[in-house]
Amino acid sequence: MTNYTLTERREDPVMHNELTKKDIELMKQELDHRRLVLRPQLIEAVKTARAFGDLSENFEYKAAKQEKNRNDSRCRYLESMIRTAVVISDDNAAAGTVGLYDKVELYIEEDDETVTLQVVTTMRQDALKGLVSKESPVGKAIFGRRVGDVVTVEVNPAYSYEAVIRSITPGEDDGQAPLVGF
């Protein structure tokens, strides 16, 4: 297993993501797998494809090289995320307020619609599955708020809408939300 350096808190203006220890652990596991298992396989695939001959018309070589480069790029991304992360606690909300991993039922009057969302970190977000980052417009609007609060979600400077927090179900990181890919 590779050793990593984490910064518990940053005072400098470097861009960072607020991530939990579980997020960091999952990123380390993926990074180790990509470095120790996947990378040697991809290097071997490039060598094998290169042996097929003329590289200018060798699709297998180009595809193998592209896959190796994609893996290397993901490794650099994960390393950067780990290096610049600020570790936060997943139990940082006061009782009765929206916190990390809580499920929140919102009523959007403008659409006469009720939606249920779960607040997660940026590395676990998936809006199509109802997982919203605490850094997203909705996440920022509801984080730390209470049942009955009317919040304004600012999508962009030209558009915002109001939503009412109908219920908060306390949650925890059950590990089911995978890391965001790219």
Side-chain angles (χ1 to χ4, degrees):
M1 193 108 178
T2 308
N3 289 330
Y4 301 94
T5 305
L6 290 181
T7 304
E8 290 293 327
R9 194 201 240 177
R10 285 192 173 273
E11 301 297 331
D12 58 23
V14 173
M15 290 295 294
H16 64 271
N17 285 294
E18 293 180 340
L19 304 171
T20 64
K21 287 184 180 188
K22 181 73 171 175
D23 292 333
I24 301 292
E25 179 184 317
L26 290 171
M27 286 190 292
K28 287 179 182 179
Q29 288 173 3
E30 180 181 342
L31 187 55
D32 283 343
H33 173 75
R34 286 180 174 280
R35 282 183 177 158
L36 303 174
V37 177
L38 199 54
R39 190 162 200 281
Q41 293 171 354
L42 294 172
I43 289 171
E44 190 58 38
V46 169
K47 286 180 186 176
T48 301
R50 180 179 217 133
F52 292 158
D54 184 9
L55 298 182
S56 65
E57 296 180 15
N58 186 337
F59 173 77
E60 290 82 5
Y61 174 76
K62 288 178 185 175
K65 189 83 167 152
Q66 194 173 46
E67 189 60 31
K68 180 195 159 300
N69 290 341
R70 195 173 302 122
N71 184 63
D72 291 346
S73 177
R74 178 67 176 179
C75 287
R76 285 189 303 275
Y77 172 76
L78 292 170
E79 289 167 348
S80 174
M81 291 296 289
I82 291 168
R83 186 177 55 255
T84 62
V86 172
V87 180
I88 60 171
S89 172
D90 55 3
D91 61 350
N92 55 355
T97 64
V98 177
L100 207 49
Y101 299 109
D102 291 349
K103 290 190 178 176
V104 181
E105 184 179 286
L106 292 175
Y107 174 68
I108 304 168
E109 187 173 335
E110 172 178 311
D111 298 334
D112 192 30
E113 179 181 28
T114 300
V115 295
T116 302
L117 306 169
Q118 184 173 19
V119 181
V120 297
T121 61
T122 56
M123 283 302 293
R124 309 293 267 304
Q125 67 188 351
D126 186 344
L128 297 176
K129 293 181 180 176
L131 303 172
V132 297
S133 164
K134 69 185 221 72
E135 303 300 321
S136 70
V138 176
K140 285 179 184 177
I142 64 175
F143 200 79
R145 304 299 293 269
R146 298 181 177 282
V147 171
D149 285 355
V150 177
V151 298
T152 301
V153 178
E154 187 176 323
V155 178
N156 61 47
Y159 177 69
S160 63
Y161 62 92
E162 290 188 344
V164 179
I165 299 176
R166 289 223 169 135
S167 71
I168 302 169
T169 306
E172 59 184 46
D173 185 4
D174 59 7
Q176 296 300 308
L179 293 176
V180 173
F182 66 82

